[in-house]
Amino acid sequence: MPRLYPLEKTRNIGIIAHIDAGKTTTTERILYYTGISYKIGEVHEGTTVTDWMPQERERGITITSAAITCFWTPTYAKKPETKEERMSGEYKINIIDTPGHVDFTAEVERSLRVLDGAVVVFDGVQGVEAQSETVWYQADKYKVPRICFINKIDRMGADFEFCLKSIKDRLTKDAVLITLPIGQEENFSGVIDLIFMREVYFEKEKGEEVVFKEIDPSRKEEADYWRHVLVESLAERDEEFMEKYFSGEIKTEDLLKTIRKLTLNYKLVPVYVGSSLKNKGVQLLLDGIVDFLPSPLDLPSPKGIDPLTNQEIERKADDNESFSALIFKIAIDPYVGTLSYVRVYSGILQSGMTVLNTSTGETLRVGRIARMHANHREEVSELFAGDIGAIVGVKTLKTGDTLCDPKNPIVYEKIEFAEPVIWMKIEPKTKIDQEKMGMAIKSLADEDPTFRLMQNPETGDTLIGGMGELHLEIKVDRLKREFNVEVNVGRPQVAYLETVTKEATAEGKYIRQSGGRGQYGHVWLKVEPLERGQGFEFVNAIKGGIIPDNFIPSVEKGVKEALDKGVMAGYPIRDIRVILFNGSYHEVDSSDIAFKIAGSIALQEAVKQANPILLEPIMKLEVVIPAEFLGDVTGDLSSRRARIEETFDRGMSKVIRCKVPLAEMFGYVTVLRSLTQGRGTAVMEFSHYDPLPINLSQLIIQSKVNEK
Ligand code: GDP
């Protein structure tokens, strides 16, 4: 079947926000207005269509991304009368649902990777909040053009000017209003469209009917002012527009065209206002999505690596190119099993096709393909370039895998995920649970690469690891609900690391030459500190074949194994460069195993001499509390070794930003609740590793000794 929607009318977008800003409600309204969602469901009633999993409904937050396809004709376009007219005017929007909680930023990053544009939702009372900032900078990293939606204009305390200012101060000076609220708080009744210069009201019960009116004389001055700000912002940034501006002949098309061009070039961020809950302003936001966010054709061609030559290559977003795609999400559907969400970058993915998974080297046959709508799954026979859908029932795919035409391989840059900062012992409650637990954890880990499973080789305990306490709690919750596995978990343990603080060299010898064939491995290693977060680097500086090339990988292997178990308290050693610079070999007795052991011995010895220290994970924390609790909360934070970076006002609340060691933060949510009569909130995310103070290091080392 030929494609029904041209690529330039396709939008792959994400909706991102700080928790509670209204992402779910806004998504739900979008689905309602695009005609796919038949019934408006409120979040607190648990009927929203993007929230799939039971505990998401209970907690009222969206944890996993799903991709949903919907269709939109701009409100200013002529109302279609026939099916043909509708199809020719319509845009296809794929909404990639990004998770809203900071503990899941890996999922946000993964979604940002595959979407072309984003809508950032703000709370009209709060303005820019901690996660808005985090996500904003992630979107910068992936060069995602975006538009903003200041939501909750109907709420008491809402203030669009404050919000706009906080966006301009904290995120981007390029933010510019496209719509203006008519009234605020309980008087919020509609918006002024600054492009078409008219008032827009949302009538009928769910605001589904859009009514345009002339600007009321009482509001004309304010509208003119903001229109002027908009036009000036465009003239400052675009020469062609500036010329038109001076010759005084600006048309609506010029505005639309220039705003689009500047938004796609990251020079402008259009801002809309509204209230999703009160069904106001969302349709114009949808217009903004199709008018100003990119189609796959507007972005640079995606770049990957040719696995055969290791050269960088690119693929055009074109159906006629050879097929390539990226898996960005694995989800388990109770009815059809594994769904592997896929973004097709080039060519066409057809059911029945054989494709290469370049990330694993396996070829596989793609059976069924589906496109997900708000409340149903549509089986399709193909997905075209630039499109998003899901492969049904293939169990071997993982997040981040590249699929492509076996004759024309490409691998897209792997998404890099952080290592866990927290581990927890997990034990099945019964023998039946034991049988199911391994498989269940494995499928959760396939979905989420920051969630890990590990066996402690000494104790035999099974450990799960992740990016924070809540992250692991949610996984344990899912084990019970979705997989029927009951488990007991231990206290969370911090994932400390070890590192070196100066250079040192050491020798490693593994020589056994009594009787029969002997063993001979002999190396000299030098270790040096690397910058924080750099991990591990191995340098082969052997000259003149004093150790033959074929033994070098064995030395590296021995080094790597030794790095996994540090010399102070058995934590992994990181941020270290290891240089192999000397050694010797024996014609007959040298072997891979002897060099591996020699490498391990030398590494351990060198690290011991390089003033090793322990590192601990430090979290970025933002606490929002009513002002009267400021003293108590900062006092408590100081006792947790927090470094307070700033304290400021946001509306009626106080915001505290600090860096604090993860080890001090277990159960903090409960403490904060009792310190603030339940009114404080906190969000936390991993920041970096820092040296652990000496006295605490000694305690950790001692407790490790006692464990044994
Ligand atoms: P999310 O966490 O960003 O997905 O936010 P939700 O959509 O779940 O909304 C959080 C809370 O804010 C819910 O109780 C919503 O009913 C409420 N809410 C969402 N949008 C609006 C709005 O426009 N006005 C008001 N007053 N409340 C809203």
Side-chain angles (χ1 to χ4, degrees), residues 55 87 107 118 124 127 139 160 181 234 259 288 297 309 317 320 331-332 352 415 471 477 513 573 655:
Q55 82 273 33
M87 298 274 299
E107 293 216 23
F160 79 95
L234 301 184
I259 299 172
L297 287 176
T309 63
N320 297 319
I332 311 293
I415 309 175
H471 188 201
D477 201 34
Q513 288 178 307
I573 305 171
V655 181

Side-chain angles (χ1 to χ4, degrees), residues 217-267:
S218 67
R219 287 185 280 272
K220 187 80 173 70
E221 198 179 328
E222 196 193 6
D224 283 343
Y225 168 77
W226 287 105
R227 161 87 169 198
H228 185 71
V229 172
L230 169 63
V231 169
E232 290 250 296
S233 311
L234 301 184
E236 273 167 26
R237 290 167 173 78
D238 189 80
E239 257 181 49
E240 204 183 319
F241 187 85
M242 187 163 68
E243 279 166 24
K244 289 197 173 139
Y245 176 51
F246 283 129
S247 66
E249 43 157 332
I250 295 172
K251 298 197 202 75
T252 304
E253 298 93 86
D254 298 324
L255 282 167
L256 288 171
K257 201 178 90 187
T258 312
I259 299 172
R260 178 172 184 81
K261 183 167 132 196
L262 293 172
T263 309
L264 298 186
N265 289 316
Y266 318 101
K267 288 188 185 145

Side-chain angles (χ1 to χ4, degrees), residues 17-27 42-44 51 60-62 100 121 123 149 151-156 274-279:
H18 184 96
I19 188 162
D20 265 3
K23 192 191 69 181
T24 312
T25 313
T26 307
T27 309
E42 306 300 340
V43 177
H44 52 258
D51 282 356
I61 59 172
T62 311
V121 180
D123 181 320
F149 184 58
N151 187 33
K152 302 200 187 184
I153 292 292
D154 64 303
R155 248 187 86 187
M156 204 168 72
S275 162
S276 299
L277 190 69
K278 298 286 162 65
N279 312 306

Side-chain angles (χ1 to χ4, degrees), residues 76-103:
Y76 53 79
K78 180 178 164 288
K79 275 221 171 66
E81 272 154 23
T82 61
K83 187 168 172 234
E84 286 67 34
E85 269 179 25
R86 180 172 66 77
M87 298 274 299
S88 74
E90 227 168 35
Y91 287 77
K92 172 153 96 185
I93 305 174
N94 294 315
I95 302 178
I96 296 140
D97 185 25
T98 56
H101 194 282
V102 162
D103 269 1

Side-chain angles (χ1 to χ4, degrees), residues 7 670 692:
L7 201 50
T670 319
L692 185 68

Side-chain angles (χ1 to χ4, degrees), residues 283-339:
Q283 291 97 325
L284 293 195
L285 177 68
L286 270 159
D287 287 356
I289 291 171
V290 305
D291 287 339
F292 306 135
L293 289 180
S295 83
L297 287 176
D298 293 312
L299 296 171
S301 301
K303 292 184 176 53
I305 300 289
D306 180 337
L308 302 175
T309 63
N310 261 335
Q311 298 287 318
E312 190 175 84
I313 48 175
E314 56 175 49
R315 288 284 156 79
K316 276 209 276 304
D318 189 329
D319 297 341
N320 297 319
E321 279 256 345
S322 63
F323 164 72
S324 72
L326 189 73
I327 302 290
F328 65 95
K329 169 85 197 162
I330 306 291
I332 311 293
D333 180 280
Y335 301 104
V336 292
T338 309
L339 287 176

